[in-house]
Amino acid sequence: MPHDLPKAYDPAIIEDHWAEYWVREKLFAQPTPSADAAGKGEPYTILLPPPNVTGRLHMGHMLNQTEMDILVRWRRMSGRRAMWLPGTDHAGIATQMMVERQLISESTSRQKLGREAFVKRVWEWKRHYGGAILDQMKRLGASVDWQREYFTMDEKLSVAVREAFVRLHEQNLIYRGAYIVNWCPRCQTAISDLEVFHEEQSGHLWEIRYPVQNKDGKDSGKFLSVATTRPETMLGDVAVAIHPEDERYFSLHGKKLRLPLMNREIPIILDDWVSRDFGTGAVKVTPAHDPNDFALAERHHLPSINIMDDTGHINAEGGAYAGIDRYAARKKVVADLEKQGLLAGIKDHVNNVGHCDRCKTVVEPRLSTQWFIKIQPLADKAKEAVRQGHIKFTPEMYEKTYFEWMENIHDWCISRQLWWGHRIPAWHCAECRKITVARIDPTTCAHCGSKKITQETDVLDTWFSSGLLPVSVFGWPNFSPVDLPQMTGAPGPSHLGTGEGIKDHADFDAFYPTSLLVTGFDILFFWVARMIMFGCWFAGDVPMPDGSKRTLADSVPFREVYIHALVRDANREKMSKTKGNVLDPIEIVKQYGTDAVRFTLASMASPGTDIAFNIARTEGYRAFANKIWNAARFLFMNVDRAAEVGIVVDPAALGGMPSASPDEPLEARWIVAELHATAAKVNHSLENYRYDDAANTIYQFFWGSFCDWYLEIVKLRLDFSETADKAKTKAALTTLVQVFEAALRLLSPFMPFITEELWHAIYDGNPPVKSIALTKYPVRLTTELSDYLSQAIVFMEELQNVITAIRALRKKCGVPDKEFVRTYICGGKRISFEASRRFILLVRFNQDILKSLARISELIIDEPVKGNVHSEFNFEVAIEYERQIDVAAERGRMTKEIAKYEKNLISAELQLSNESFMAKAPVHIVEGLKKQAAETQLLLSKARIALTTLPPE
Ligand SMILES: [Zn+2]
Ligand SMILES: [Zn+2]
């Protein structure tokens, strides 16, 4: 049978081919289970953290997806009904910004287009450019269920969003209120605390003198000084606060001040919250522009004056400053104060300034009316779920982080002033001013019946919909497998909870709770905590498959959370655009193949340990893939030669765990035993998220045991001559193919492409199933590991030691690699007679292995050793070798060698003493150079000594 494998391993060709095949054949689709699904394996579900629709794949995704794909492929091969669910997030702010930028380049704007046309435009953008990241995932072979791909703005998911909102509103858990939010004047929306990053900036602290007034309203000539970093906000001051026990200001109790520039009378108020030691001990109170001041004003029943509009310009409340941008206003306010002699001083000051995470604009704390979720009952339930152990965090420390955050959680501001997103299903009445919240778009006010109602313009925070994903992707709240009603005008899911209309829970029953969430710590609160809150809150109302009430244990959105680490550069530095050390996974994949990149990440991934991504390692794993490729070519060459003499391996013998009988040669028993041990270790490592241990164990087995030892030995058994014992040859060939096939399955979750290619080649285009991904994952069968198998590992190790010792001895004596020499082996001097006899027996039995692997012309066993001797505790070996050398030629060769070493050493030293090179070169390069220089130095001195020991000509 021909196995036409190209000579050279070229990942680009095979990977494109299989990636396309997997998608086309819908190999990883996991349809809604039917009633008879029992016995088809316990479900194993992972939800892909939905990348932003604007996203591009980066190293973090690559790691995250590699980890998920390894687990899903492994579980699938281990008999679980595995499903990995992909989708994208509509990413409110990011997407709106992207399209707005496009509009600017066309000299138009969102405002000019109007809301409806703009939203249409975003959908168009999404169709053309959105979800590029999922295409990248397809190319990288992620074994996700593409049939289930969703988008968070899909009809089905939008119904869930609306139901969740309406239900929370009915439960009095959603309210509308004035609150200080982080306002981004660029994005013109409120953003959450989590979407603000703080950066230290050098600015100023201005000290302003507020004139104290007499009872008649005239300036007394006295002043009270306050300090501020944002002087323009004084336009909205409503008071100045001092500590009631601050002796400096006793005389000012009950007095009033004149607010400079605005010439408004404001009170001096007393509050314990004021710190006497900070600044002047007097604090201006600007409730509409500072959260602390807002709280202060509430306590003292003071009004709030918002002086800024949505774009960061001063509004009409700012009097003469109306229409001026906030920073221009700052300059003007300071200048005007100075003119009036009211500026007491300016100090340099380092501020911790909040910026919009999306557009980097400085955010403005600003009072606005927003929608909130009263978080407490949801948070309590979510805390309880983790406390009771229904969700397990890996690494464990993130559980503590979770609790810390959940203890300090505030009400969640869910409204955003964007146009792209789920519009809040609330209508304002122009007549009674009340609000109607409804599942079906209303035409009249629910309170007064007026037709003068208009829908809320705000949309929901993007995390509102992504927080619902674990329930919504499985059909909540409708559970109807048919097309869902339109969001507007169609019957809503108000029947929910009555039992009727719940036609099909099958998906939810099978796949909820999901098994595992793999994600980064940066969205632990944004997303993970919110999914837990929403999952526990809403899933509890969905009955269990048997109709019983769902407990908290089964309401959680996932059973486990695995927080993956960061991918850093080779010097352990965080990747950043400013540092210019960002690695593009797609570029590296192009160079080395997906398999090698995946293996690099896996070989370093373990809970809580950041990965220092080093291309040199990827190069190494590319060589590993190449090694496997060549092993396959060797194997196929022999399979084909065997076929010519009528020896054929039965395909039915493949696909399981190979075994070996006691009368098979040592290497057969040994490699089978090693395979079982390796499988056991790999399964155990994957259970514990030790991707690194699993990958390294497979690597050792494949490269070390299989390629370096087993293949070298098995060559001796593949005898296709006339006189050969065909049964023995067939047995050896069968074990070879069996072990190789099983090893491919073992490696498949880590290197899915090359294993798929070679596995198909083994079956010569006629495989038992469509993909290696649908075969069984190797496990150790304990019944198979009888004594003679475990013994084989001990025996083989002893032989390997002998071979390694002889090889070292040959090298020491300068025996050319190709030469076969007479070799002596006997038991060690200090071991017992018994042990020595056992050892000699082992050597006698396996003479052919020794002779071939250690290049022995004649093997003399158990006689006093002669010649160059090497002793170990267990044994002694010796070789008879006299070198016949041409002294003149040897001298010439050695002199040349010395010259070469000297030259290399000089160039290395030059580089190491070059300061500008040393300043720029990465640590690993410098380390490598130093190591190389030291090695060259060693070789040089050895060569010099060798030259002096040459006999005279
Ligand atoms: Zn912004
Ligand atoms: Zn009304």
Side-chain angles (χ1 to χ4, degrees):
M1 44 177 165
H3 300 85
D4 48 349
L5 212 54
K7 215 171 187 171
Y9 162 61
D10 183 352
I13 295 172
I14 62 170
E15 291 183 2
D16 278 341
H17 170 76
W18 291 116
E20 202 221 294
Y21 173 84
W22 293 333
V23 175
R24 190 179 64 230
E25 293 291 323
K26 303 185 173 61
L27 277 192
F28 307 118
Q30 194 58 265
T32 300
S34 52
D36 62 351
K40 287 194 179 160
E42 195 191 326
Y44 182 82
T45 321
I46 295 187
L47 208 64
L48 171 80
N52 283 354
V53 66
T54 53
R56 291 257 153 201
L57 196 95
H58 56 60
M59 249 330 172
H61 295 126
M62 184 87 196
L63 169 66
N64 173 282
Q65 294 177 8
T66 297
E67 291 181 336
M68 280 185 269
D69 199 36
I70 288 173
L71 291 177
V72 169
R73 284 175 181 270
W74 167 60
R75 294 286 191 191
R76 185 185 293 118
M77 291 176 77
S78 304
R80 299 283 291 268
R81 198 167 347 137
M83 195 240 284
W84 183 13
L85 211 151
T88 34
D89 195 290
H90 67 278
I93 296 183
T95 313
Q96 176 156 332
M97 262 180 69
M98 193 79 101
V99 177
E100 276 187 78
R101 242 182 260 143
Q102 238 181 22
L103 293 178
I104 288 167
S105 76
E106 295 164 18
S107 310
T108 178
S109 72
R110 165 166 72 104
Q111 288 77 4
K112 277 185 208 157
L113 232 55
R115 183 164 189 152
E116 207 175 312
F118 177 77
V119 171
K120 227 169 139 186
R121 178 71 192 254
V122 182
W123 275 107
E124 226 168 85
W125 179 91
K126 190 245 169 194
R127 264 190 294 279
H128 282 102
Y129 309 103
I133 207 166
L134 294 189
D135 290 334
Q136 291 175 314
M137 277 183 80
K138 280 179 187 152
R139 166 58 187 82
L140 296 175
S143 70
V144 301
D145 182 349
W146 292 112
Q147 267 50 54
R148 288 177 177 268
E149 183 186 331
Y150 65 83
F151 178 54
T152 46
M153 291 276 282
D154 281 347
E155 198 63 45
K156 186 175 132 182
L157 301 193
S158 301
V159 169
V161 166
R162 185 155 180 175
E163 173 65 21
F165 184 93
V166 175
R167 217 185 271 193
L168 287 170
H169 189 263
E170 284 169 354
Q171 293 163 341
N172 288 324
L173 295 176
I174 281 186
Y175 65 91
R176 204 163 167 258
Y179 197 70
I180 297 280
V181 294
N182 304 294
W183 185 265
C184 174
R186 218 275 349 150
C187 298
Q188 292 185 31
T189 179
I191 52 179
S192 82
D193 289 346
L194 297 167
E195 289 161 326
V196 175
F197 70 92
H198 287 90
E199 210 172 66
E200 289 203 335
Q201 276 184 352
S202 50
H204 298 96
L205 192 66
W206 285 274
E207 212 178 297
I208 307 169
R209 303 202 289 179
Y210 286 19
V212 179
Q213 291 191 321
N214 285 328
K215 283 215 173 81
D216 59 5
K218 293 217 171 77
D219 287 0
S220 67
K222 287 185 192 142
F223 298 94
L224 179 57
S225 288
V226 298
T228 177
T229 58
R230 295 187 296 155
E232 69 281 9
T233 60
M234 68 173 288
L235 304 174
D237 281 1
V238 297
V240 168
I242 51 176
H243 194 281
E245 283 145 34
D246 192 335
E247 292 171 10
R248 292 172 292 179
Y249 299 130
F250 277 168
S251 64
L252 294 178
H253 289 195
K255 293 257 162 81
K256 293 214 158 93
L257 300 166
R258 176 171 65 84
L259 179 64
L261 308 181
M262 298 302 290
N263 296 323
R264 184 162 70 225
E265 196 182 70
I266 56 172
I268 293 170
I269 59 170
L270 310 177
D271 199 287
D272 289 341
W273 172 82
V274 179
S275 159
R276 274 172 279 186
D277 312 322
F278 184 78
T280 58
V283 179
K284 67 197 259 317
V285 182
T286 324
H289 296 277
D290 182 282
N292 291 319
D293 293 7
F294 181 71
L296 201 60
E298 292 261 281
R299 284 200 290 279
H300 295 268
H301 308 290
L302 293 165
S304 296
I305 303 171
N306 186 349
I307 54 135
M308 225 175 270
D309 68 12
D310 291 356
T311 62
H313 289 72
I314 306 298
N315 63 18
E317 295 284 358
Y321 300 86
I324 306 176
D325 167 78
R326 54 182 168 160
Y327 296 120
R330 178 174 301 177
K331 276 193 190 138
K332 193 163 165 21
V333 163
V334 171
D336 291 349
L337 287 171
E338 194 164 21
K339 255 184 255 163
Q340 297 180 18
L342 296 174
L343 195 63
I346 309 176
K347 276 186 211 147
D348 287 340
H349 185 75
V350 177
N351 283 335
N352 206 10
V353 182
H355 294 72
C356 170
D357 203 27
R358 290 289 162 197
C359 72
K360 321 297 172 211
T361 304
V362 173
V363 296
E364 199 66 41
R366 176 172 178 262
L367 191 69
S368 76
T369 303
Q370 302 286 345
W371 294 82
F372 292 87
I373 289 184
K374 212 170 136 194
I375 212 70
Q376 218 30 266
L378 281 81
D380 280 346
K381 220 169 181 176
K383 272 188 283 183
E384 200 51 33
V386 175
R387 198 171 290 125
Q388 290 180 12
H390 305 314
I391 299 174
K392 187 180 151 240
F393 284 88
T394 304
E396 243 172 84
M397 62 169 188
Y398 286 109
E399 188 182 299
K400 201 174 146 241
T401 318
Y402 169 81
F403 280 123
E404 268 166 15
W405 192 70
M406 293 300 275
E407 291 300 336
N408 296 306
I409 195 168
H410 299 295
D411 284 359
W412 176 11
C413 173
I414 49 170
S415 45
R416 295 291 180 272
Q417 289 64 50
L418 301 172
W419 285 355
W420 176 240
H422 296 101
R423 196 155 166 186
I424 291 179
W427 281 258
H428 301 273
C429 176
E431 288 189 10
C432 74
R433 301 259 150 218
K434 285 186 178 159
I435 290 170
T436 305
V437 169
R439 291 183 173 84
I440 310 163
D441 288 5
T443 50
T444 55
C445 171
H447 309 280
C448 74
S450 163
K451 284 195 159 80
K452 288 187 190 160
I453 56 168
T454 45
Q455 188 172 1
E456 169 65 59
T457 52
D458 288 358
V459 298
L460 287 165
D461 179 7
T462 306
W463 299 101
F464 189 94
S465 54
S466 47
L468 285 168
L469 283 174
V471 291
S472 61
V473 291
F474 299 120
W476 185 88
N478 277 4
F479 300 111
S480 166
V482 295
D483 278 355
L484 287 152
Q486 295 295 307
M487 213 173 131
T488 45
S494 50
H495 51 255
L496 203 92
T498 63
E500 64 175 90
I502 304 174
K503 297 174 201 130
D504 192 358
H505 272 189
D507 253 3
F508 199 90
D509 290 349
F511 301 116
Y512 193 94
T514 64
S515 312
L516 172 71
L517 178 75
V518 181
T519 191
F521 75 92
D522 51 335
I523 50 173
L524 187 59
F525 312 127
F526 273 128
W527 195 42
V528 182
R530 276 148 185 186
M531 281 192 286
I532 299 176
M533 286 191 276
F534 275 171
C536 293
W537 196 255
F538 293 115
D541 294 342
V542 183
M544 293 298 282
D546 64 2
S548 63
K549 186 160 168 41
R550 189 172 289 268
T551 62
L552 188 57
D554 289 317
S555 300
V556 295
F558 25 75
R559 307 261 184 225
E560 284 190 52
V561 180
Y562 177 85
I563 302 289
H564 68 73
L566 280 182
V567 184
R568 296 169 179 271
D569 76 0
N571 302 317
R572 303 208 154 271
E573 299 259 3
K574 222 170 158 174
M575 292 191 200
S576 84
K577 278 190 192 140
T578 40
K579 271 188 251 166
N581 62 346
V582 177
L583 292 171
D584 178 358
I586 298 293
E587 281 307 310
I588 306 171
V589 160
K590 271 188 198 153
Q591 221 177 333
Y592 300 100
T594 310
D595 280 342
V597 179
R598 284 172 66 117
F599 209 86
T600 310
L601 291 166
S603 72
M604 291 186 274
S606 73
T609 314
D610 282 354
I611 286 173
F613 194 95
N614 194 335
I615 297 276
R617 276 183 89 135
T618 314
E619 231 168 279
Y621 293 127
R622 156 91 205 232
F624 175 50
N626 208 44
K627 185 101 179 168
I628 295 167
W629 188 265
N630 290 336
R633 281 174 47 81
F634 166 80
L635 182 142
F636 293 142
M637 187 184 77
N638 282 288
V639 166
D640 292 347
R641 271 175 64 197
E644 284 165 22
V645 296
I647 299 173
V648 176
V649 176
D650 181 5
L654 307 178
M657 278 309 270
S659 62
S661 62
D663 49 338
E664 278 185 72
L666 175 63
E667 80 280 355
R669 285 176 279 139
W670 168 71
I671 198 69
V672 165
E674 282 280 303
L675 176 69
H676 282 259
T678 303
K681 256 193 236 166
V682 171
N683 280 295
H684 178 79
S685 302
L686 287 178
E687 293 280 356
N688 295 294
Y689 303 109
R690 290 304 302 261
Y691 306 92
D692 54 345
D693 285 350
N696 296 326
T697 304
I698 296 174
Y699 180 89
Q700 292 303 335
F701 172 79
F702 228 131
W703 189 306
S705 305
F706 188 83
C707 292
D708 283 353
W709 289 100
Y710 174 70
L711 283 189
E712 289 308 311
I713 301 172
V714 83
K715 279 176 187 167
L716 302 170
R717 320 290 178 217
L718 300 175
D719 182 355
F720 305 112
S721 63
E722 289 284 302
T723 53
D725 180 341
K726 276 196 176 177
K728 278 191 178 164
T729 308
K730 184 175 174 175
L733 189 69
T734 304
T735 304
L736 167 63
V737 181
Q738 279 181 328
V739 172
F740 186 68
E741 191 270 348
L744 289 180
R745 282 184 277 128
L746 202 61
L747 178 63
S748 177
F750 300 84
M751 288 192 162
F753 291 104
I754 188 174
T755 51
E756 185 81 300
E757 175 80 13
L758 299 178
W759 182 84
H760 279 266
I762 287 178
Y763 288 98
D764 205 15
N766 201 9
V769 284
K770 278 185 177 174
S771 165
I772 190 172
L774 305 179
T775 60
K776 275 202 182 110
Y777 200 70
V779 283
R780 169 162 62 185
L781 304 174
T782 41
T783 49
E784 295 289 339
L785 269 198
S786 351
D787 284 352
Y788 67 89
L789 281 181
S790 343
Q791 236 171 29
I793 292 181
V794 180
F795 288 164
M796 189 64 194
E797 202 173 298
E798 225 161 354
L799 278 194
Q800 285 171 331
N801 288 342
V802 174
I803 293 165
T804 309
I806 298 173
R807 283 175 178 169
L809 191 57
R810 287 167 57 99
K811 198 163 188 178
K812 195 175 143 201
C813 301
V815 183
D817 284 348
K818 281 181 185 151
E819 209 158 309
F820 283 74
V821 298
R822 178 187 295 207
T823 304
Y824 297 80
I825 303 178
C826 68
K829 287 210 171 70
R830 279 171 292 168
I831 60 172
S832 70
F833 176 70
E834 274 301 304
S836 182
R837 264 190 49 165
R838 206 182 47 78
F839 173 75
I840 292 304
L841 225 57
L842 177 71
V843 170
R844 273 196 215 288
F845 267 124
N846 297 289
Q847 285 189 55
D848 53 347
I849 296 178
L850 288 168
K851 279 179 156 176
S852 164
L853 269 65
R855 305 213 160 237
I856 297 167
S857 56
E858 191 188 343
L859 179 59
I860 295 129
I861 304 169
D862 207 16
E863 276 179 30
V865 294
K866 273 193 233 166
N868 303 291
V869 181
H870 173 95
S871 300
E872 298 254 336
F873 182 75
N874 276 349
F875 60 86
E876 286 186 355
V877 290
I879 56 169
E880 257 180 30
Y881 182 67
E882 289 302 328
R883 233 179 347 160
Q884 305 298 320
I885 51 168
D886 174 346
V887 176
E890 190 66 0
R891 191 184 300 280
R893 190 187 64 77
M894 287 169 116
T895 312
K896 251 194 219 162
E897 205 172 60
I898 289 170
K900 187 187 85 191
Y901 290 147
E902 284 170 343
K903 202 179 138 208
N904 288 351
L905 202 59
I906 289 169
S907 104
E909 275 163 3
L910 267 177
Q911 230 172 343
L912 286 171
S913 60
N914 179 340
E915 274 172 30
S916 77
F917 166 79
M918 293 295 281
K920 272 185 244 147
V923 179
H924 71 280
I925 299 267
V926 174
E927 291 295 310
L929 260 178
K930 281 185 182 161
K931 211 174 137 197
Q932 212 184 336
E935 275 164 15
T936 311
Q937 181 66 57
L938 203 72
L939 288 170
L940 180 61
S941 26
K942 268 191 181 172
R944 279 178 179 151
I945 292 166
L947 186 65
T948 60
T949 55
L950 271 185
E953 280 169 53

